[in-house]
Amino acid sequence: MKIYFNLISLVFFLWACNSGKKVEKEVLEEVNQSMEIKKVSEAEILNESLKWGNEIAEEAQKELMSALQKAIADKGVSGAIEYCNAQAFPLVEKVGEKHGVEVSRVSHNYRNPADQPNEMEAMLLDAYEYNEENGIESKPNIQEIDGGEVLLYTKAIKIPGGLCLNCHGEPGKDISAETLMKLDELYPKDKAKGHKVGDLRGIWSIAIPKKEVVKRL
Ligand code: HEC
């Protein structure tokens, strides 16, 4: 695509050399422009995808948090589990649809089996966990997937505070008997309990088509 564009510019340029100064200037500008387009290159695309990924993850996080807080206020913690069971996944999906990307939360210690990582996500999760275990701060990350057509943005999801422990902490200590019953009923294979504040709970995984990023530049 880039080569094609530059070839056209070159043809114009050569042609313009024979046909007066004004055109030549315009064409020169076009050539410069095409070089600028080339300069947009990978670094700019990666920066933009990182920025956009951050924005989308933050938006999805905010929506989830306000829905969670509202559900707890309306129905209590155990009632909110049913709400999360029915609504968390579609809510995250909807944020993705709005932006033309695919958003999910994945974890090795998943509660909803739909939040299991795929092969690439599992590798990335391993890296986030490695960092966590070794006290290294994990920054959001971009990986090229699908032969470079899609950029996979990932970001750590940590347990920021005690609110999460109501449903992700120690049974008996943080998780009440009533809540535990509800969790066991809805998620018999739940792996998402036993956490402490500051733990890595999973990652945001946002698959962004590269062409959508280019459109934003
Ligand atoms: C009211 C109980 C409740 C609270 C409080 C809660 N969660 Fe969850 N969490 C759930 C349920 C239920 C699911 C599974 C949702 C589903 O079925 O899609 C879940 C799923 C998740 C997932 C997706 C991965 C997985 O295990 O399926 C992440 C990440 C997560 N929670 C993080 C948090 C964080 C961080 C907090 C605190 C800000 C928090 N949760 C607070 C109940 C809760």
Side-chain angles (χ1 to χ4, degrees):
M1 198 53 197
K2 271 175 209 157
I3 291 166
Y4 177 66
F5 190 87
N6 288 332
L7 264 182
I8 290 181
S9 305
L10 186 66
V11 170
F12 266 121
F13 182 65
L14 294 175
W15 170 75
C17 288
N18 300 322
S19 49
K21 281 222 146 74
K22 192 164 167 276
V23 181
E24 191 177 325
K25 185 169 172 279
E26 274 167 20
V27 172
L28 263 176
E29 272 166 13
E30 198 177 319
V31 171
N32 284 340
Q33 236 176 38
S34 83
M35 286 171 76
E36 268 164 33
I37 286 176
K38 226 181 150 197
K39 266 194 249 153
V40 158
S41 77
E42 298 305 311
E44 288 247 27
I45 292 173
L46 288 186
N47 277 342
E48 183 62 23
S49 58
L50 202 56
K51 202 175 126 219
W52 198 21
N54 280 333
E55 283 168 22
I56 296 170
E58 201 170 305
E59 180 181 335
Q61 180 70 44
K62 267 195 193 144
E63 292 226 4
L64 272 177
M65 269 310 261
S66 64
L68 177 68
Q69 278 162 346
K70 189 173 179 304
I72 292 177
D74 291 351
K75 307 177 182 87
V77 172
S78 67
I81 290 168
E82 267 163 1
Y83 175 85
C84 289
N85 175 251
Q87 297 302 328
F89 197 85
L91 192 151
V92 168
E93 242 183 357
K94 222 175 90 193
V95 173
E97 273 165 27
K98 181 180 147 194
H99 293 286
V101 302
E102 272 172 40
V103 185
S104 55
R105 299 182 298 169
V106 294
S107 176
H108 283 317
N109 310 309
Y110 50 86
R111 173 158 286 167
N112 184 335
D115 296 331
Q116 280 179 73
N118 62 28
E119 212 177 307
M120 171 60 93
E121 289 165 336
M123 251 169 56
L124 291 164
L125 266 166
D126 286 344
Y128 280 91
E129 281 177 2
Y130 175 87
N131 283 354
E132 165 101 346
E133 280 160 20
N134 292 282
I136 303 164
E137 192 198 342
S138 289
K139 297 224 167 71
N141 180 276
I142 300 282
Q143 291 288 324
E144 285 193 340
I145 54 170
D146 293 353
E149 278 178 34
V150 176
L151 298 167
L152 186 68
Y153 167 98
T154 53
K155 183 188 180 185
I157 303 175
K158 297 225 171 191
I159 301 259
L163 173 75
C164 315
L165 299 186
N166 283 304
C167 304
H168 294 293
E170 290 288 344
K173 183 171 153 240
D174 309 303
I175 302 180
S176 73
E178 192 191 356
T179 301
L180 190 60
M181 229 169 70
K182 200 92 244 161
L183 284 174
D184 287 346
E185 181 193 322
L186 290 170
Y187 305 98
K189 295 199 173 138
D190 186 19
K191 300 181 180 204
K193 295 191 285 279
H195 281 291
K196 300 182 301 298
V197 170
D199 276 4
L200 184 71
R201 183 59 266 280
I203 55 173
W204 285 106
S205 170
I206 307 181
I208 309 178
K210 204 185 241 179
K211 66 176 184 345
E212 296 300 320
V213 179
V214 173
K215 276 190 209 161
R216 292 166 57 90
L217 290 168

